Amino acid sequence: MGTFTLTASQGRARRGTLATPHGPVETPVFMPVGTQATVRTLSPADLKAVGAQIVLANTYHLHVRPGEDVIAQLGGLHQFMAWERPLLTDSGGFQVFSLEGFRRVDEDGVEFQSHVDGGRRTLTPERAIEIQWTLGSDIAMAFDHVIPGGADEATARDALERTLRWLERCKKRHEQLREGVHVGTTARRHDEGEGVRRADVPTCNQTLWPIVQGGTLPALRTECLDRIVALGPWTGIAIGGLSVGEPKDKMYQTIDVLESRLPATLPRYLMGVGFPADLVAAVERGVDMFDCVAPTRGGRNGSAFTPEGTLNIRNAAFRTDGSPLDPSCDCETCTTYSRGYLRHLFMAGELLGLRLLSLHNVRYLIRLAAEMRSAIQRGGDAFATWADDWRRRYQHTGVA
Amino acid sequence: MGTFTLTASQGRARRGTLATPHGPVETPVFMPVGTQATVRTLSPADLKAVGAQIVLANTYHLHVRPGEDVIAQLGGLHQFMAWERPLLTDSGGFQVFSLEGFRRVDEDGVEFQSHVDGGRRTLTPERAIEIQWTLGSDIAMAFDHVIPGGADEATARDALERTLRWLERCKKRHEQLREGVHVGTTARRHDEGEGVRRADVPTCNQTLWPIVQGGTLPALRTECLDRIVALGPWTGIAIGGLSVGEPKDKMYQTIDVLESRLPATLPRYLMGVGFPADLVAAVERGVDMFDCVAPTRGGRNGSAFTPEGTLNIRNAAFRTDGSPLDPSCDCETCTTYSRGYLRHLFMAGELLGLRLLSLHNVRYLIRLAAEMRSAIQRGGDAFATWADDWRRRYQHTGVA
C-alpha cells in the first residue's frame, strides 16, 4: 500500500495513481479539508457528488475535540465521519504554528494551550504519530516544526534540524505501531486518560510521509530534501512551510529547486495550497497533491471560483441575474440555482448559501485537477497549451 | 384546481388528496417552512429525499427581501427556490403580529417597520394578495389580523370583524387578478417602485384560502367560521391564531368546536402547528394540514424528535454512542451517522450538524403524517389504536 504509479507526463507535469488502503487516488488531485472530521457545510454524499477522492483531516483539532479515544471507540475516523474513501491526516505541526496563544517548543515536542478549553497539552513526534494511528488515516504526516514565511536563516536552520530529528522519532514510532506495539505507552501527563489499548485501534495499513522544510532558502530546502530521502524509503513526500506569508514567486522558486531532486517515483504533496492559479503553476512544476481551505472558507464568505476568476455573490449586480454561478460547471449549485437566488441566500443570512458556494468551489478545484489529468494524458504539449489557455481566461483577483 | 378529494376516514380523522397546479398533496400532511424561500439548512433535493410534498414560504419576509419584483424577474417563487412541487404562502398577517418593533393597524391595513432596513412599509389586504400572486404560489392565504393568545373578548371581536372585512377585500383583489387586472395598481407610497407589470407575473392558477380567527372564544370562532363559509365558495380553510401562547387544551377545544361546522369537503389547515403530539391530536380532530418551524429551529438547537420524545444531541451521554439518532428512522442522518458523531458536530460548532438534525426532524414529521395516512387507510379503528400506541411511546418533553 502507498504505492504510486506514474501513468503519463509532459515536461515536469505528471499524472499518476496512488494506491491506499481505502482505494486509489488519481493525481494531480485536490483534497478538500475536513478539519474537524467534516468538510465544513458538506456531507460525505456531497463530497462524492463533486468527485472528492481523498479528504484531509486535522490531527490537532481532533485530538483536542472530541479526542482520538472517542473516534477510536466509534470505529476510527473513516467510520466516524462516514467517509469510506482515503483520508490523509496532517500531524498537528502546522496548527501548533498557526493557532494563536501559548506554545513552547523544545526538543521533546510542543506544549500548547488547547483552543477549546485552555488546558495544556503536549504534542511530541511520538504522540502525533500515535494519534494518527489511532485515527486510522491512510496517510499520516510527520510532526514538523513550521516557521513563518520570512524567517531568517538561523531560525530556518534550527527548525530544519529539529524537523529532521523529529522525523526519525516519527518513523521509529510508526514502525513500532505497524509491528503491534501498544498505543499510549508514550502518553504524557497532560493528555486525557492512558491512551487507547491495542484492541481499540482499527487495523490499519497506514503510511507515513515526511515533510520538507527549510523556509524559502534554496540551499536549506535541497539539503532537507536530500537528508529526508536518505532516511527513507518513503511512499510519498510533502513540501511544507509554503503559503505561510512568503511572496508567490518565492513559493514557485522553492518548488522549482526541489523538483529536480524529488524522487520521480514518489507522489509530491504541496501542503496548504490552494488557489486555482497555484494549482496550475504547481502541477506545471511536478506537484501531484494539494489541500486548502480556500474553497470552503471562500464559499462561506460568498466568494466563488469561476473560469474568469473569483466573484463575490453579494455583489448588487447579481440581484436579478438568472444565470448560473458558473455556466461551465456541472455541480448541483450551478445546475439548479440562479445567481440571484444565491445572492438572496447570502443577503438573508441563510445557511444553504454557505453550503452551495462551498460545494461549487470544491467541485471547481476537483474539476480543475481532472482537466489537468486529462490534458497530461493527451500527450504532446496538450498540457502546456491547456495551461496557457487557462491562464489567459483566468484573472486571479486574490479575493477568494 | 384546489379540489380536495376525501379518500378515507375514521371517526373525525380524514385522509384525502388536494390537487394543486404543481401536483397533488396527500393529507394529512406536514409542510416544512421555507421562510426566506429556503427551508433553513435544507436544499430542494434534501426536501424531496425526506418526502416533502409542499413547502410554505413567508410573504412578509420575501416582500421585504429580496422583494417580490426580484422573484418575479427570476421566474416566480417556484423557479427562484428551485422547488417544482406545491407552495403555500402565508399572507404576512402573522409576521405583522409576531415581529417586534413599530406597527400600526388601521382599517386600511398595517404600517410596519422592515426588520431588514428599518424602512416603513404598508401591507393591506390587496397588497398581500398581489404579492402572493406575483410570487405565484399554489395556495395564497388571506391577510388577517392576528391577536395574542390571551386577548379579551373586545379585542378578539374587533380583530375578527377586521379579518372578515379584509377577507372580502382579499377575495375581490384575488378575483381581479385571476381575471387579468394589472398587479401594482394599489401599490403604496412606501413600497419599492411601482409593482410589477402583468407580463412579469407568471401565469398561475392560485387559490385563496380564508383564515378563521376569534381567539379562544368558542362563540367567536364558530361565528367567524360561519361568516367565512357564507362568503365562499372556498377551496380550503385555515385555522389561525392558535399556538400563539394559549394553553394546549384551549387549542384542542377550539379545534373541537370548529370541527363539526367545518365543511367536510374542504381541506383544513391548522397554521403554525407543530409538535409531534399536536399533529396527532389535531388529526384526531379532523385537521388535514400543518406547518411549523419546530423541526428546523429545534434541529439547529440540537434537539431531535424520536418515537420516545425529544433528545438533545449535546448531552454528554451521547459522546461515544455509536447508535443512530433515531434507530427507527430511514433518513440520511439516521442511516449514515452515529449519535457520537452528531454530538461532535454540535460541540465543534460545525454547520453540517444543524443540517443533519433539521433533515431528520423534518423527515420525522413527514413520516408521522404518512403513518397517520396509512392507519386511516387501514380502516376499522386502526387509527385510534395507532394513536394510542403512539402516545404511550412518546413522552413529549416540550424541549424541541
Side-chain angles (χ1 to χ4, degrees):
Chain A
M1 280 304 167
T3 52
F4 182 65
T5 313
L6 274 177
T7 55
S9 66
Q10 270 182 60
R12 293 183 289 174
R14 306 129 49 92
R15 178 174 176 159
T17 306
L18 173 68
T20 83
H22 287 83
V25 174
E26 297 293 323
T27 66
V29 64
F30 174 77
M31 303 185 279
V33 177
T35 299
Q36 303 191 105
T38 167
V39 177
R40 212 149 275 169
T41 76
L42 303 181
S43 72
D46 294 333
L47 291 169
K48 282 190 200 167
V50 296
Q53 303 183 69
I54 174 170
V55 164
L56 179 145
N58 289 102
T59 295
Y60 166 85
H61 287 89
L62 295 175
H63 168 62
V64 170
R65 183 174 55 199
E68 64 276 12
D69 57 325
V70 168
I71 293 175
Q73 285 181 66
L74 290 168
L77 186 55
H78 284 87
Q79 188 177 327
F80 181 64
M81 62 189 285
W83 177 250
E84 69 265 34
R85 293 185 184 177
L87 282 171
L88 181 148
T89 42
D90 70 2
S91 61
F94 185 74
Q95 274 71 37
V96 166
F97 154 74
S98 68
L99 288 173
E100 284 180 23
F102 171 84
R103 64 174 177 267
R104 191 175 55 79
V105 181
D106 66 15
E107 190 55 28
D108 188 38
V110 183
E111 193 183 31
F112 61 94
Q113 209 157 12
S114 156
H115 70 289
V116 171
D117 60 15
R120 289 197 184 173
R121 310 280 185 114
T122 302
L123 270 185
T124 63
E126 290 80 8
R127 283 296 290 142
I129 293 302
E130 288 170 0
I131 294 166
Q132 293 180 81
W133 184 264
T134 303
L135 293 173
S137 54
D138 297 86
I139 300 166
M141 300 306 300
F143 189 65
D144 56 343
H145 185 181
V146 181
I147 53 170
D152 61 31
E153 183 165 355
T155 307
R157 162 64 68 184
D158 180 61
L160 179 160
E161 296 293 342
R162 184 166 299 105
T163 293
L164 287 168
R165 287 191 299 272
W166 285 359
L167 177 59
E168 293 188 65
R169 289 165 58 188
C170 286
K171 186 164 188 268
K172 185 174 167 201
R173 189 73 189 115
H174 197 255
E175 281 163 2
Q176 289 173 341
L177 290 168
R178 290 184 67 101
E179 289 156 11
V181 177
H182 279 205
V183 168
T185 52
T186 61
R188 305 185 62 80
R189 67 191 186 286
H190 297 312
D191 290 309
E192 290 174 5
E194 299 178 16
V196 292
R197 292 180 306 280
R198 176 81 183 138
D200 296 330
V201 180
T203 311
C204 119
N205 207 345
Q206 189 182 67
T207 186
L208 173 68
W209 289 9
I211 303 172
V212 179
Q213 292 290 349
T216 49
L217 299 146
L220 288 190
R221 282 279 175 181
T222 54
E223 177 188 333
C224 188
L225 172 57
D226 292 347
R227 289 170 65 184
I228 283 174
V229 170
L231 289 172
W234 305 105
T235 54
I237 294 188
I239 304 169
L242 290 180
S243 208
V244 289
E246 79 286 356
K248 281 266 162 167
D249 60 337
K250 287 276 185 192
M251 176 169 94
Y252 295 152
Q253 203 179 76
T254 305
I255 305 170
D256 280 330
V257 164
L258 290 173
E259 198 276 331
S260 60
R261 306 170 87 96
L262 279 161
T265 54
L266 296 186
R268 299 134 175 202
Y269 162 31
L270 181 58
M271 303 182 82
V273 173
F275 286 94
D278 294 338
L279 253 68
V280 175
V283 168
E284 284 179 314
R285 290 165 173 80
V287 173
D288 307 299
M289 300 171 70
F290 304 89
D291 79 280
C292 193
V293 296
T296 42
R297 180 174 291 167
R300 296 196 305 280
N301 286 329
S303 182
F305 296 137
T306 82
E308 281 79 32
T310 54
L311 63 78
N312 196 299
I313 198 62
R314 294 172 192 270
N315 194 311
F318 302 131
R319 187 162 166 270
T320 56
D321 188 338
S323 58
L325 185 58
D326 171 1
S328 72
C329 183
D330 59 2
C331 80
E332 183 191 327
T333 304
C334 294
T335 56
T336 311
Y337 310 94
S338 64
R339 290 173 172 180
Y341 181 66
L342 296 171
R343 176 176 190 270
H344 165 67
L345 293 180
F346 272 85
M347 300 309 286
E350 284 288 351
L351 296 173
L352 183 62
L354 315 188
R355 166 181 165 193
L356 293 178
L357 258 67
S358 298
L359 187 84
H360 164 73
N361 282 345
V362 170
R363 176 64 186 148
Y364 178 92
L365 290 182
I366 285 171
R367 280 178 71 226
L368 185 62
E371 279 181 35
M372 291 196 278
R373 290 199 300 273
S374 169
I376 296 166
Q377 190 73 51
R378 287 199 295 277
D381 55 3
F383 177 71
T385 306
W386 175 91
D388 287 344
D389 289 347
W390 185 88
R391 251 188 300 266
R392 234 188 312 280
R393 189 166 174 196
Y394 189 86
Q395 290 112 26
H396 182 58
T397 60
V399 173
Chain B
M1 280 303 168
T3 52
F4 182 64
T5 314
L6 273 178
T7 55
S9 64
Q10 273 181 59
R12 293 183 288 175
R14 308 131 44 92
R15 177 173 177 159
T17 306
L18 174 67
T20 84
H22 286 83
V25 175
E26 297 294 320
T27 66
V29 64
F30 174 76
M31 302 185 280
V33 177
T35 299
Q36 302 190 105
T38 166
V39 177
R40 213 150 275 170
T41 77
L42 303 181
S43 72
D46 294 333
L47 292 169
K48 282 191 200 166
V50 297
Q53 305 183 69
I54 173 170
V55 164
L56 179 145
N58 289 102
T59 295
Y60 166 84
H61 286 89
L62 295 175
H63 169 61
V64 170
R65 184 175 55 197
E68 63 277 12
D69 57 326
V70 168
I71 294 175
Q73 284 181 66
L74 290 167
L77 187 55
H78 284 88
Q79 188 178 327
F80 181 64
M81 62 188 286
W83 178 251
E84 69 264 36
R85 294 185 183 177
L87 282 170
L88 182 148
T89 41
D90 70 0
S91 61
F94 184 75
Q95 274 72 36
V96 166
F97 153 74
S98 67
L99 289 173
E100 284 180 24
F102 170 84
R103 61 174 178 268
R104 191 176 54 80
V105 182
D106 67 14
E107 189 55 28
D108 188 37
V110 183
E111 193 183 31
F112 61 94
Q113 210 156 11
S114 156
H115 70 290
V116 171
D117 60 13
R120 288 196 184 176
R121 310 281 185 113
T122 303
L123 271 184
T124 62
E126 290 80 8
R127 281 294 290 142
I129 294 302
E130 289 170 358
I131 295 166
Q132 293 179 82
W133 184 264
T134 304
L135 294 173
S137 54
D138 298 85
I139 300 167
M141 301 305 301
F143 189 66
D144 55 344
H145 185 183
V146 181
I147 52 170
D152 62 29
E153 182 163 354
T155 307
R157 161 65 67 187
D158 180 61
L160 179 159
E161 295 293 343
R162 184 166 300 105
T163 293
L164 287 168
R165 287 192 299 272
W166 284 0
L167 176 60
E168 293 188 67
R169 289 165 57 188
C170 286
K171 186 165 188 271
K172 184 175 169 201
R173 189 74 190 114
H174 196 255
E175 281 163 1
Q176 289 172 341
L177 290 167
R178 291 182 66 101
E179 288 157 13
V181 176
H182 279 205
V183 169
T185 51
T186 61
R188 303 182 65 77
R189 67 189 184 287
H190 297 311
D191 289 310
E192 289 175 4
E194 298 178 16
V196 292
R197 292 180 306 280
R198 177 78 184 141
D200 298 328
V201 180
T203 312
C204 122
N205 207 345
Q206 188 182 67
T207 183
L208 172 68
W209 290 9
I211 303 172
V212 178
Q213 292 291 350
T216 48
L217 299 146
L220 287 191
R221 282 280 176 179
T222 54
E223 178 188 333
C224 187
L225 172 57
D226 292 347
R227 289 170 63 185
I228 282 173
V229 170
L231 289 172
W234 306 104
T235 53
I237 293 187
I239 303 170
L242 291 180
S243 208
V244 289
E246 79 287 356
K248 281 263 161 168
D249 61 336
K250 287 277 185 191
M251 177 169 93
Y252 294 152
Q253 203 180 76
T254 305
I255 305 169
D256 280 330
V257 164
L258 291 173
E259 197 278 330
S260 61
R261 305 171 90 97
L262 280 161
T265 54
L266 295 186
R268 298 133 175 204
Y269 163 30
L270 180 58
M271 302 182 84
V273 174
F275 286 95
D278 294 338
L279 252 69
V280 175
V283 168
E284 283 179 313
R285 289 166 174 80
V287 174
D288 306 299
M289 299 171 71
F290 304 89
D291 78 281
C292 193
V293 295
T296 42
R297 179 174 292 167
R300 294 197 306 281
N301 286 327
S303 182
F305 296 138
T306 82
E308 281 78 33
T310 54
L311 63 77
N312 196 300
I313 197 63
R314 293 173 192 269
N315 194 311
F318 301 132
R319 188 162 164 270
T320 57
D321 189 338
S323 58
L325 186 58
D326 171 0
S328 72
C329 183
D330 59 2
C331 80
E332 182 190 327
T333 304
C334 294
T335 56
T336 310
Y337 310 94
S338 64
R339 289 174 173 178
Y341 180 67
L342 297 170
R343 176 176 190 271
H344 165 66
L345 293 179
F346 272 86
M347 299 310 286
E350 283 288 350
L351 296 172
L352 183 61
L354 315 187
R355 165 180 165 192
L356 293 179
L357 258 68
S358 298
L359 187 83
H360 164 71
N361 283 345
V362 170
R363 177 64 187 149
Y364 178 93
L365 290 181
I366 285 171
R367 279 178 73 225
L368 185 63
E371 279 182 35
M372 291 196 278
R373 290 199 299 272
S374 169
I376 296 165
Q377 191 72 53
R378 286 199 297 277
D381 54 3
F383 177 72
T385 306
W386 175 91
D388 287 345
D389 289 346
W390 185 87
R391 252 188 298 266
R392 235 188 311 278
R393 189 168 173 196
Y394 189 86
Q395 289 111 28
H396 182 59
T397 62
V399 172

